[in-house]
Amino acid sequence: ALRSAAERMAVNSIIQGSGADVTKYAMIQLNPIIKQYGGLMLAQVHDEIAVESPQEAAPTVRGASAGRRPTRP
């Protein structure tokens, strides 16, 4: 039981680290686009990035992020 728990933790840490790297990459790519349209990154939690932008820029900002990360409407 101890060995299998250690194996799960080892695999999980690789997966979580990779997910964090992907999210960080998306944030680096999105930041200039978000700023260009008057937006601001507010928070990053797990695999989601919260962004605030002027309402008229929201579709553009959402579209820019859709190509880099899955988004919710």
Side-chain angles (χ1 to χ4, degrees), residues 3-49:
R3 179 184 173 127
S4 63
E7 288 173 354
R8 278 194 310 276
M9 288 173 51
V11 170
N12 191 39
S13 65
I14 293 169
I15 293 169
Q16 285 183 341
S18 298
D21 290 342
V22 170
T23 301
K24 190 182 297 184
Y25 176 79
M27 291 173 71
I28 291 167
Q29 296 292 310
L30 287 172
N31 195 46
I33 297 167
I34 292 167
K35 283 185 174 185
Q36 176 183 351
Y37 290 97
L40 180 67
M41 266 190 234
L42 300 176
Q44 180 266 321
V45 178
H46 300 293
D47 63 345
E48 296 187 12
I49 303 168

